[in-house]
Structure formats: C-alpha cells, structure tokens
Amino acid sequence: IAKAAAAAAAAATRSSGDAGITVIKSSGGGPMPYAATASDPICFEYINTGVCGRLQRGEICRYRHLDASHPDVIADRVRQGKLPASALAAPGGGGEQSVLALATAAAASF
C-alpha cells in the first residue's frame, strides 16, 4: 500500500508541472485542416467507405468529405453513369430517402 501511495504522489507531482519540465506549445492547436471549396474534388474513399484514410493517419486531405446524399455526390454519380438521371430531380421533390437508397445501392455494387 505504501508503494501505491508513493506512486500516486509522484504522478500528482508530475501532472502538476513541478517536475521541472516546461512544455512549449505552438500558437495553433495543431495543423490547420484544408479549407475545401465547392470546386475541389470529392474524397471517394470517404464516400464509398465512410472513412478517409488520410485523416485517420493524421494527414490533411485536400478533398471534400460529403455524405452520400449530398447533391454534388449525386450529380457526380449521375455523370459517371452509376445513378440514373432521375436521381437529380428527387431531392427537390422530397424524395431524399429514395436518392440515398439509390446511392447506397450504387456504392454497394462496387
């Protein structure tokens, strides 16, 4: 029990900053994320799997990370022939669930 109490006291001393170590932090909280614009390409890994490998590795991804139901994703899939052209008209008509189902089915087929 005495060893545990001594270890706890030592840990408290280290966490309070009395160990003589000075930590210098940069002015920012870390690397600034890439500010993607509407004209930037889409991260297909994120759309197809829901995860971006670059971000998982702590890197900056210069692509946009959008939901499968995002209008830009749907338009891109129509351009590629992966969705029918009727999918472009569905979100305005209130059929967002049907477009999401089409997009999910298209992603699952790859």
Side-chain angles (χ1 to χ4, degrees):
I1 296 177
K3 284 185 178 181
T13 302
R14 280 183 296 219
S15 65
S16 67
D18 293 338
I21 298 174
T22 304
V23 177
I24 300 173
K25 295 182 179 180
S26 65
S27 60
M32 292 296 295
Y34 181 77
T37 63
S39 61
D40 285 336
I42 299 169
C43 181
F44 293 110
E45 181 181 8
Y46 182 80
I47 292 170
N48 294 330
T49 65
V51 177
C52 176
R54 290 177 193 89
L55 295 178
Q56 279 192 325
R57 292 187 301 268
E59 299 172 4
I60 295 174
C61 183
R62 68 178 191 94
Y63 302 105
R64 295 186 293 159
H65 299 92
L66 307 172
D67 291 331
S69 62
H70 192 278
D72 290 349
V73 174
I74 295 168
D76 186 67
R77 288 193 171 158
V78 168
R79 271 192 306 274
Q80 294 177 5
K82 295 179 181 178
L83 284 177
S86 61
L88 290 174
E96 188 171 336
Q97 292 295 345
S98 62
V99 171
L100 182 57
L102 282 171
T104 304
S109 67
F110 293 102

